[in-house]
Structures are given as structure tokens and as C-alpha cells.
Amino acid sequence: MEAAAEPLRSVRLLSRVLLFLSQCYILSGDGSLNLEHSQPLAQSIKDPGPTHTFTVVPRAAESTEIPPYMMKCPSNGLCSRLPADCIECATNVSCTYGKPVTFDCTVKPSVTCVDQDLKPQRNFIINMTCRFCWQLPETDYECSNSTTCMTVACPRQRYLANCTVRDHIHCLGNRTFLKLLYCNWTGGYKWSTALALSITLGGFGADRFYLGQWREGLGKLFSFGGLGIWTLIDVLLIGVGYVGPADGSLYI
């Protein structure tokens, strides 16, 4: 009986040793099961199907552009003192010319202003004189200047100027208009200098050379001032302002 039990004990001991070694092998990681690779290769490769292309359309950017008139509109100032470009008024052209008139006005969008009590306000009234913008005095608007017309001419020349009303002046009609103005520009020539040259060196044509009149200056130079007669005449003409710069401008 003992001889028959001896092989059985050996088999049990060997099985325990093999079980212990297998557990150590699994715990070391070399024997861990990989489910991904345990699947058949034919099943791990899937058909991607048809390819779809998606176009991403960006959202329209919100408009943050500042209105041009905002450059002239101070924030939190009195509404009644805002420039005309910052407000909209319900004007009436049937008012009596030259008489005081009151109009209802509203500030334009994005414009902030207050009343006399420093409270936010959007609707207010303005007091003004009933007249169109082109009827304003010359001090209330600015006009373009011309450097091509002749200021020294008879009759005095005019030019068509583009005029714009100043910001804080209120009037009826268009704030930009055309107006005929007298030529009134200067090229930097001084009347006192021209007269002094005519009296002292007029016989050599210095006055005409100074005014840019080269042909007349050469004529006076080679004729010795027209034997003095031309010199005396030029002193008189420059003195009264009849002879001016060749570019047609006014004296300073």
C-alpha cells in the first residue's frame, strides 16, 4: 500500500509546482491575455465605409465698426451742445427767416449724452435761428481755397468754393454747399518789400523781379527803368496795389 501511494504523492507535488510556476508567469505580465490580438485577423479589420468630406463654415463676425460720426460726438456731455452730426432733428423749413425757432431732436445710435441734471437723455430740443446753411455768415462755415484764380484783376475774379458748416452751428438744409467767393489767397509776397524795392532799385527792375514778373524786370533793367519814367510809374502802381505778384495772389 505504501509503495502504491508513493507515485501518487509525487504526481500531486509535481502538479502543485507546475501550478505555482504558471501563476508566477501570469503575474509577471508575459502571460497576460491580449483580447485585441485574440480576435481573428479577419474580424479586426473593418470596412471604413464611404468617405465623407465636411466643410466648416466660419460664423460671420459680429460688426464692431464704429460709425464715422462718433469721432465728433463727446460722451456724457450735454445733449444740447452736441455737434449737428451727432443728432437728428425734425426741422421745418416753413419758419420765418431770421426768427428764433425750436426743433425736437434725438441723438443718433451709440451716442450718449445727459441733460442739465446729468441724467441720460435721448430726446431734447434745440433753439436756433431760422435760416438755411448757405445763408450763414462767413464765420460759421469753412470753404476750400483756390490758388489758380487772379486776385489782382479788374473786375475782381471769383471762384466756386466747396463750403462746410462748422460742427456746433445748426441750420436748415444741406451742411455742405457751393458758393461763389472772391479770390483771396496769398503767395507770401509783402507789399512793403515790393514798394521799397521799387523806390530804391526800381530802375534795375528789382521790384518786378521780386514779384515774379521776369519779362518786365528785364525790360526795366536794359532800359534803365525806361529812363526813369517807368520807375516812377511802377512806384505809383505798386503803392496803390494795382501791380501785384505774377501768380495773381494778394500781398501779405
Side-chain angles (χ1 to χ4, degrees), residues 119-130:
K119 295 181 180 180
Q121 187 182 31
R122 296 198 61 83
N123 300 318
F124 58 98
I125 61 175
I126 61 170
N127 299 316
M128 55 179 287
T129 302
C130 179

Side-chain angles (χ1 to χ4, degrees), residues 66-79:
I66 300 177
Y69 58 80
M70 287 299 296
M71 302 299 294
K72 300 181 180 180
C73 305
S75 299
N76 298 323
L78 291 178
C79 295

Side-chain angles (χ1 to χ4, degrees), residues 17 25 37 53 70 78 81 98 105 127 152 195 207 214 222 239 241:
V17 171
Y25 179 75
H37 296 288
T53 303
M70 287 299 296
L78 291 178
R81 296 185 179 180
C105 300
N127 299 316
V152 182
L195 182 60
D207 51 352
W214 296 95
F222 291 111

Side-chain angles (χ1 to χ4, degrees), residues 8-251:
L8 183 60
R9 294 177 180 176
S10 300
V11 171
R12 289 178 179 178
L13 180 61
L14 180 60
S15 62
R16 290 178 180 177
V17 171
L18 291 176
L19 179 61
F20 176 77
L21 293 176
S22 63
Q23 290 177 352
C24 293
Y25 179 75
I26 293 174
L27 292 176
S28 63
D30 294 337
S32 60
L33 296 178
N34 192 336
L35 297 179
E36 180 181 357
H37 296 288
S38 64
Q39 298 294 332
L41 182 61
Q43 295 181 2
S44 63
I45 302 176
K46 298 181 180 180
D47 184 9
T51 303
H52 299 280
T53 303
F54 299 93
T55 302
V56 179
V57 180
R59 293 176 57 187
E62 297 181 359
S63 177
T64 58
E65 184 178 357
I66 300 177
Y69 58 80
M70 287 299 296
M71 302 299 294
K72 300 181 180 180
C73 305
S75 299
N76 298 323
L78 291 178
C79 295
S80 58
R81 296 185 179 180
L82 285 174
D85 292 337
C86 306
I87 62 177
E88 295 178 348
C89 299
T91 58
N92 185 5
V93 296
S94 62
C95 56
T96 304
Y97 173 75
K99 298 294 183 178
V101 63
T102 300
F103 293 128
D104 295 327
C105 300
T106 305
V107 295
K108 291 184 177 181
S110 303
V111 178
T112 58
C113 61
V114 296
D115 57 9
Q116 297 291 343
D117 298 329
L118 302 182
K119 295 181 180 180
Q121 187 182 31
R122 296 198 61 83
N123 300 318
F124 58 98
I125 61 175
I126 61 170
N127 299 316
M128 55 179 287
T129 302
C130 179
R131 56 189 172 188
F132 287 94
C133 295
W134 59 269
Q135 296 173 324
L136 292 171
E138 295 183 0
T139 56
D140 290 343
Y141 54 83
E142 297 178 347
C143 298
S144 59
N145 201 1
S146 174
T147 58
T148 57
C149 60
M150 298 290 292
T151 57
V152 182
C154 187
R156 191 177 176 185
Q157 290 187 0
R158 295 191 180 194
Y159 70 98
L160 191 62
N162 188 19
C163 302
T164 303
V165 180
R166 300 185 186 274
D167 291 338
H168 292 82
I169 303 298
H170 299 283
C171 55
L172 301 175
N174 295 327
R175 299 184 61 82
T176 300
F177 52 91
L178 298 177
K179 198 166 187 178
L180 278 175
L181 299 178
Y182 286 108
C183 295
N184 187 23
W185 65 283
T186 178
Y189 297 95
K190 293 184 177 181
W191 173 82
S192 58
T193 302
L195 182 60
L197 290 175
S198 182
I199 295 173
T200 58
L201 300 174
F204 301 99
D207 51 352
R208 294 283 184 166
F209 286 129
Y210 171 73
L211 297 175
Q213 301 175 6
W214 296 95
R215 290 179 297 180
E216 292 82 353
L218 291 174
K220 291 182 68 175
L221 176 62
F222 291 111
S223 66
F224 300 102
L227 300 178
I229 300 176
W230 195 350
T231 303
L232 295 176
I233 294 175
D234 273 357
V235 171
L236 178 61
L237 295 179
I238 293 176
V240 298
Y242 184 81
V243 173
D247 58 6
S249 64
L250 293 175
Y251 288 113

